[in-house]
Amino acid sequence: MISRMSTLFLRTLRDDPADAEVPSHKLLVRAGYVRRVGPGIYSWLPLGKRVLDNVARVVKEEMDRFGAQEVQFPALLPREYYEATGRWTEYGDGIFRLKDRKGADYLLGPTHEEMFTLMVKGEYSSYKDLPVNLYQIQTKYRDEARPRAGILRGREFLMKDSYSFDLDDEGLKRSYELHREAYVRIFDRLGLDYRIVSAMSGSMGGSASEEFLAATPTGEDTFVSCTDCDYAANTEAVEGRAGVALDASDEPALKVYDTPDTPTIDSLVELFNRLDLGRTVTAADTLKNVVVKLRHPGAKETEVLVVGVPGDREVDLKRLEAAVHPAEVELFEAEDFAKHPALVRGYLGPQGLAEAGYTYKVDPLVVPGSSWITGANENGKHAAHVVYGRDFTPDAAVGAAEVRSGDPCPRCGHALTIGRGIEIGHIFQLGRKFTNAFEFDVLGPDGKPVRVTMGSYGIGVSRAVAAIAEQKHDELGLVWPREVAPADVHLVATGKDDSVFEAAATLAVELDHAGVSVLFDDRRGVSPGVKFKDAELIGVPTIVVVGKGLAEGLVELRDRAGGERENVPLEQAAARLRELLG
Amino acid sequence: MISRMSTLFLRTLRDDPADAEVPSHKLLVRAGYVRRVGPGIYSWLPLGKRVLDNVARVVKEEMDRFGAQEVQFPALLPREYYEATGRWTEYGDGIFRLKDRKGADYLLGPTHEEMFTLMVKGEYSSYKDLPVNLYQIQTKYRDEARPRAGILRGREFLMKDSYSFDLDDEGLKRSYELHREAYVRIFDRLGLDYRIVSAMSGSMGGSASEEFLAATPTGEDTFVSCTDCDYAANTEAVEGRAGVALDASDEPALKVYDTPDTPTIDSLVELFNRLDLGRTVTAADTLKNVVVKLRHPGAKETEVLVVGVPGDREVDLKRLEAAVHPAEVELFEAEDFAKHPALVRGYLGPQGLAEAGYTYKVDPLVVPGSSWITGANENGKHAAHVVYGRDFTPDAAVGAAEVRSGDPCPRCGHALTIGRGIEIGHIFQLGRKFTNAFEFDVLGPDGKPVRVTMGSYGIGVSRAVAAIAEQKHDELGLVWPREVAPADVHLVATGKDDSVFEAAATLAVELDHAGVSVLFDDRRGVSPGVKFKDAELIGVPTIVVVGKGLAEGLVELRDRAGGERENVPLEQAAARLRELLG
């Protein structure tokens, strides 16, 4: 295919869009790949549509390769199916809901577990039918609270979602592994630098759910990786690993102090340093106790949970929520404290919580034998020398503190590093949640019903375009990997000489016949400088310049990524390019 | 590609779905191509997805061939754009509207004129930039009052919509012609039997809008075609052609009769035949006067219009509406009659309507000099010998009567025939409605702004699948044209002999390597009869049977459409098939 820039629906922009913060957003708009329609809603211009199609093609090829079968569901879905699993309500503000002319409720599908379960249940009934892996590449909708970064977090986006159906856990693991291998091939072909990280903490089985994160400083997800072993996890999913217990036998008895005017941990630390406990106190010596409410699925009442973390750390609510899944975490508000006078706001300590009937859990950084400055459960008073195992005993440990670079790896104890990434894929051994909801059994070999088990797998196709752009660019513009580039070759004709344009046009046709797609800058009256700038911004991997050199019969090949240049006789150019393109 | 039926996600059904009335709906469900999710909402199973993709591919290839450029818009669109053109309101119940979490209004795009206009306005500013033709193949939403016939009239459907932008009417005609030619190639390649009919009556320019109708008795659209000339039009768009005036000089004077108990035209005719007017009276001798309200765009008040048609014809409200476009036609209700005592319900005649200030138009079947039995504008009374030109003079003619087979062609006067069809394509010289709404000008060669003119063009991609199925089937099942078939060859292995299955598997691989896609029925323990029935139902154009004949080294090739059978040596089968497939 030859696309001539004289007629291509493309206008590059000199300036970054005002609302753009991350490089992919800036460059995809400036280079004419996407345009904003509304918050989190974008359209794809011709070059963008090609890149999107290329990513989708790679995904399709690798899904087909392992025997997954493509289907297509509507986005407009009746409420009843999502009501059956409780997700109509669970999604809260996160989905788009609407009514039809008859007042019937619909949603725009954010993900299709319900629909696939019902589809397979509708067709299959025997153990002989399984396993089956089905996928679709389909437009999804989520009413994000904060759509951002162009197509990186949109409200309408293209996703590959797939679902596996197996007879048993072993089968599910095989389907999961097939997906995992396909994802590795897909993201390798897309040229992405990515990490596979646990998306679930150890208690639920870290290998039952993994995320593929494209490493980039602008990513929304944070993940840890061990500097020594191969442990890597989403920060939310970092396993809590019990630390080594300390010997507290020399610790003085618990003592209560008047601590007026200590609204912050800093002011509390300052006060205790003035009190002179025999050592310098830091925020890490204080024990912060945070009260939350857990809302268990289907439960009317919430459960109160007190969580203790070292005072120099924030509670990571997402990590806590991952740890208490499927319960949801809600903040404890002033009105809640009013109903629980035993929980003294601002002066809460773990002493006596169990006796008062409250559940108390600590982050694993709070180890047995550790001694703390903490609330004394009286207004205006704090206690020191509050010892784990002597003055309080938590009900359990829970990974709740923010994870920091240098924290010990939960597997091997070496230091963790923290990175940021964009979630481009997610694989999940879902189990029987949905097959239970729809009572999907097949007849087993012994004639008895077997409840089917499922996996659920996603790739953000449009997001992958942004992730590639985020990783593959330089100060001049985009630098697409060959597999997804909008063309194989960007052919630039420069100057005013007709013979140059004719030679370039002939080369374009020659390349086209050889199956090489060409973006041909055939514009007259546009300076070479503008054309080169556009070529660098657009980011096709190989740039061919037909210009001054033609007097000596030469054209120039430029590698967009490395910048290498090479002069080649015109008549050898097509052959050399086919060689370069493999 | 080889798809093995032992693992293919496909279950054919013996019985028609209860809600299916038309063949395409029955067969696409029974053969496992689509499944119902909700009213007018369907999912595509693997075989259906392939056919849908094939149709989309043909559309894309032919759009690309004439230089149209593919883009992609979201389906979720902010209200503001459709508010600017008035369509947010105009669509009435016909579109899906929704709110996001912040309460902002959105719609699900039924068509994208607004968005394309704004997109081109955003990028282009000079006459040098035009013409441009842009298209997308995208999911559309319409909240149909009566979704029907499976995917034939769905509420979520796949459509190719395109838009041309030109400087002047000549350019628009060229873009329109390019689309028209592309549509002819597309529908020819899809194997459809179709008619191109005027979609707009003569007063608005019949050639400015045409529909492509797939001829089938189950179609929702009716169209006329002339038995002599090449005139063809949607019934709604049939031009009104004035008939030959009659000589009424011998007609007796208007006479009023008491006509009690004549609630229907039949009873009126019976009465007048008893009165003996000197000839036998039929319903065609009576003049029926129907009152409607015209709602002009933007007008608060409606206009009253009285329309006269021969009493043996119904008023075709769609045809009338097409004729008075852009006004909408509303029925005159009892409460309206109450406000207009001069319009005597059931006894309305054209005499004196002009004096009473009402507009009166007649269908062209009511010719000058014709004499009628009609209302006398008094309760219980009718008049006879009411002569056009003597006793009443209409303000104008308007094509309002139902069109019948045998009616005169408005071009040549020969008889029209009536057919039914499915609208699969529509091309429309839209003009400046949207560029006016968004004030989209480009700078002309003389430096002065030129208002851009647009065309709008659509193909129902998912509907085309149903239209093909509607035309291409027999009593056994579907009969796909090669270009859209879910596979090139349906390879059936029969019997219990391992060597048969091995030979078939080898042939499948051989075909696959030759680029022939194979649907391979490799199921064990399924009878030949069931396999043949499935093959006939599924409708792949060529069926290959590897079975008993293999003992003599032969396989059988069957043509699904014609039923021809041919025995071919196994080792020559692949070559022969490649020959057949062209």
Side-chain angles (χ1 to χ4, degrees), chain A residues 7-11 35 37-39 41-46 49 53 69-78 81 93-94 96-102 106 108 115 119-120 123-124 129 132 134 141 143-145 155-156, chain B residues 7-11 35 37-39 41-46 49 53 69-78 81 93-94 96-102 106 108 115 119-120 123-124 129 132 134 141 143-145 155-156:
Chain A
T7 52
L8 184 65
F9 187 64
L10 170 74
R11 290 294 177 267
R35 288 291 180 263
V37 167
I41 308 175
Y42 283 77
S43 50
W44 298 81
L45 272 58
K49 174 70 170 134
D53 286 351
Q69 302 182 53
E70 189 175 10
V71 300
Q72 177 103 43
F73 269 98
L76 182 66
L77 299 170
Y81 306 124
D93 281 345
F96 291 101
R97 295 178 183 80
L98 65 159
K99 285 181 190 296
D100 73 1
R101 63 196 299 150
K102 291 181 175 163
Y106 289 81
L108 298 182
M115 307 315 299
M119 182 187 251
V120 178
E123 309 297 317
Y124 279 178
D129 298 331
V132 65
L134 299 176
Y141 296 86
D143 196 358
E144 296 284 350
R155 300 200 292 171
E156 173 172 335
Chain B
T7 52
L8 184 65
F9 187 65
L10 169 75
R11 290 294 177 268
R35 289 290 181 262
V37 167
I41 308 175
Y42 283 76
S43 49
W44 298 81
L45 272 59
K49 174 72 170 129
D53 286 351
Q69 302 183 51
E70 190 175 10
V71 301
Q72 177 106 43
F73 269 97
L76 183 66
L77 300 170
Y81 306 124
D93 281 346
F96 291 102
R97 296 178 182 79
L98 65 159
K99 285 182 188 296
D100 73 2
R101 64 197 299 151
K102 290 180 177 164
Y106 289 81
L108 299 181
M115 307 314 299
M119 182 188 253
V120 177
E123 309 297 317
Y124 279 179
D129 298 331
V132 66
L134 299 176
Y141 297 85
D143 196 358
E144 295 284 350
R155 299 199 294 171
E156 173 172 336

Side-chain angles (χ1 to χ4, degrees), chain B residues 28-29 33-34 52 60 74 122 128 176 178 217 239 289 358 403 416 420 464 569:
Chain B
L28 289 170
V29 171
Y33 285 78
V34 302
L52 183 67
K60 176 173 169 52
K128 293 178 193 165
Y176 182 88
L178 286 170
E239 296 168 25
N289 299 292
Y358 292 102
V403 176
L416 294 174
R420 298 189 77 87

Side-chain angles (χ1 to χ4, degrees), chain B residues 204-219:
Chain B
M204 304 186 63
S207 67
S209 176
E210 289 166 295
E211 287 170 355
F212 290 71
L213 300 181
T216 152
T218 54

